[in-house]
Amino acid sequence: MINKIVSSLTEAVADIRDGATVMIGGFGTAGMPSELIDALIDHGARDLTIINNNAGNGETGLAALLKARRVRKIVCSFPRQADSHHFDALYRAGDIELELVPQGNLAERIRAAGAGIGGFFTPTGYGTLLAEGKETREINGRQYVFETPLHADFALIKALAGDRWGNLVYRKTARNFGPIMAMAAKTAIAQVERIVDLGELDPEAIVTPGIFVQRVVAIGAAAKKEAA
Amino acid sequence: MTQVRKKLSRDEMAQKVARDIPEGAYVNLGIGVPTLVANHIGSDKEIILHSENGVIGMGPAPAAGMEDPDLINAGKQYVTLLPGGAFFHHADSFAMMRGGHLDYCVLGAFQVSEKGDLANWHTGAPDAIPAVGGAMDLALGAKKVFVMMDHLTKQGESKIVKACSYPLTGQACVNRIYTDLAMIDVTSDGLVVREIYTDLDFDALVELTGVPMKNGTAA
């Protein structure tokens, strides 16, 4: 019997090794898998490359991972926010590497990795600092920049509900990077508020089919119920 | 130097932009000042708002106490969803832009060149932390790109320039500029002033702006 449900957050992140590339879902704090990130901090892996849209907010989630100095490099589109002070301090001290990627290129590079695409030409960024040194091509009279896929060893994402096959549904704009990060990582780990029986999710409404997901872990009240 | 005595407030600028967005348009209002446009669209027109974090059919801010942390816009402000609205992941959201499905986007700017080059993401200052977000995708991704900005910097320098001195967001991507002094189209024939909102006459406006512009005002 296929069962991708793991019983604890600790178990879910246990094999994330030092130096791993880890995608973390979320746009700001919407969709950020904070409980999985806390488990990753406790687990202790360091020298990580993190892929996320932002660079942490306040003191929790990704910000806490940065504060714990576990991140060697971050790939993101928008690190400059009023409450991203842990990233700011690391960046200004030269203690973290930043790869800045336009948001749509970030999303498409992740999607390309998940879809087995070796690269793509995009108009975004042409003629700007963020395309310097990259291959360009004119296609039908328009200028494009060549971008390559972004793969990861792990993806940590947040969904609303999941089943033992790894099928997932999300909640509102918390969906953001979850579906494409699940596709792009070798091991996709989803924290969910609710674990449901197989067949309970409407097949017409499943956003991430379980083939893209390796582990599902319940958080909050759902976790207590699972453990019982 | 020319004294500007009369200029539009940000809300008045937003009214001008809202006036020019037609019924049925799919629109992205970026973050910051352009989001004011939403307040002036009015109930006579059905306009569908997109936000790049994965929502279309976005409604106004929720009433106090009704905020949902899973329902935000690209500026990470709480919003609502109108009947008919939908959610989608990031790659689909940017496909809506780059695939040419979005009719308008309205962006803020540090500078716009006479060729329609846009600079709005990075001052290039050595101590600045660079952040681009969706700006480069939006600048190229909508059928029409409107910029909404003050005409002059706080130091009184024109933000409409011969060539941008700040790092570019996109080349030749701006179609129209709404400032607190005028509305100006970027055309293959150069900059064309369509409306003047200040007490300056056309010649004085051109002098203040410091780049060649044609007079396309109806008067």
Side-chain angles (χ1 to χ4, degrees), chain B residues 21-168:
Chain B
I21 295 177
E23 161 83 14
Y26 289 88
V27 180
N28 184 302
L29 297 177
I31 59 175
V33 174
T35 58
L36 292 174
V37 172
N39 301 339
H40 299 284
I41 285 169
S43 54
D44 56 324
K45 282 192 287 198
E46 199 162 46
I47 285 171
I48 299 181
L49 297 180
H50 167 269
S51 195
E52 60 264 35
N53 57 313
V55 53
I56 200 159
M58 189 169 59
M66 298 297 286
E67 299 88 352
D68 182 339
D70 285 342
L71 184 44
I72 60 171
N73 65 14
K76 303 185 175 75
Q77 299 162 311
Y78 297 117
V79 293
T80 51
L81 189 74
L82 300 177
F87 302 114
F88 32 83
H89 65 63
H90 250 75
D92 280 354
S93 186
F94 282 83
M96 290 178 193
M97 304 177 202
R98 294 200 288 219
H101 309 283
L102 206 63
D103 296 308
Y104 293 85
C105 82
V106 186
L107 298 170
F110 299 146
Q111 288 175 328
V112 179
S113 84
E114 61 179 351
K115 292 187 173 61
D117 296 345
L118 171 68
N120 80 345
W121 73 283
H122 189 20
T123 60
D127 63 333
I129 292 176
V132 65
M136 289 186 178
D137 306 278
L138 280 171
L140 297 167
K143 289 175 192 150
K144 294 274 183 204
V145 174
F146 288 175
V147 159
M148 196 177 147
M149 66 178 186
D150 290 340
H151 205 98
L152 304 174
T153 65
K154 289 193 179 73
Q155 289 72 38
E157 291 159 352
S158 175
K159 295 173 74 169
I160 300 172
V161 293
K162 191 97 188 149
C164 295
S165 57
Y166 290 127
L168 289 189

Side-chain angles (χ1 to χ4, degrees), chain A residues 25-48:
Chain A
F27 180 87
T29 53
M32 184 183 284
S34 292
E35 285 79 359
L36 278 171
I37 297 169
D38 287 344
L40 179 59
I41 294 169
D42 292 343
H43 166 60
R46 53 185 61 249
D47 205 27
L48 301 171

